[in-house]
């Protein structure tokens, strides 16, 4: 299951016990729309092991600036509340899952 991030709930989400995958995206972004189903599939596959979060950059400008998001889609991988990895662009599912497996 995917969670929608807001400026208000983000800190609580990333400070949980599970690793967190955050998808920074926007509705007008073609590559973001192409990556969306992949992120959704990863969320289902890793349900209970990884928290998957969607963060709309237009609605969460503060978070985008805080993490230096300059290109979307950007995937940030958090563990213990800290960014431990990053992917930019429409990447294959295997790349995402290998990064998640490395932090589990």
């Amino acid at each position: 299951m995917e969670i929608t991030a807001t400026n208000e709930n983000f800190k609580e989400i990333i400070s949980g016990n599970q690793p967190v995958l955050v998808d920074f995206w926007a509705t007008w972004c073609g590559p973001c729309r192409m990556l969306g189903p992949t992120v959704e599939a990863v969320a289902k596959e890793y349900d209970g092991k990884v928290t998957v979060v969607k963060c709309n950059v237009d609605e969460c400008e503060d978070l985008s600036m805080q993490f230096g998001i300059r290109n979307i889609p950007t995937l940030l991988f958090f563990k213990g509340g800290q960014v431990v990895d990053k992917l930019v662009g429409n990447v294959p599912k295997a790349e995402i899952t290998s990064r998640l497996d490395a932090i589990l």
Side-chain angles (χ1 to χ4, degrees):
M1 183 181 94
E2 298 168 319
I3 299 171
T4 300
T6 64
N7 290 321
E8 292 76 31
N9 72 1
F10 191 79
K11 189 171 184 175
E12 181 182 337
I13 292 169
I14 64 167
S15 61
N17 293 331
Q18 291 183 342
V20 180
L21 169 62
V22 181
D23 176 15
F24 286 88
W25 70 288
T27 56
W28 48 263
C29 167
C32 299
R33 288 195 308 271
M34 290 174 14
L35 184 62
T38 303
V39 172
E40 189 176 319
V42 168
K44 288 178 184 171
E45 186 175 328
Y46 284 81
D47 189 35
K49 296 186 272 185
V50 174
T51 303
V52 178
V53 180
K54 301 283 283 182
C55 185
N56 186 322
V57 296
D58 292 329
E59 296 171 3
C60 301
E61 290 179 13
D62 293 348
L63 292 174
S64 300
M65 289 187 342
Q66 179 182 347
F67 292 103
I69 305 301
R70 303 215 188 303
N71 300 302
I72 53 173
T74 293
L75 301 176
L76 293 184
F77 300 79
F78 288 83
K79 187 168 187 175
Q82 301 297 314
V83 176
V84 295
D85 209 343
K86 176 180 182 177
L87 289 170
V88 178
N90 184 14
V91 295
K93 181 182 174 198
E95 184 66 27
I96 300 168
T97 57
S98 72
R99 305 280 180 111
L100 286 173
D101 291 341
I103 64 172
L104 280 174

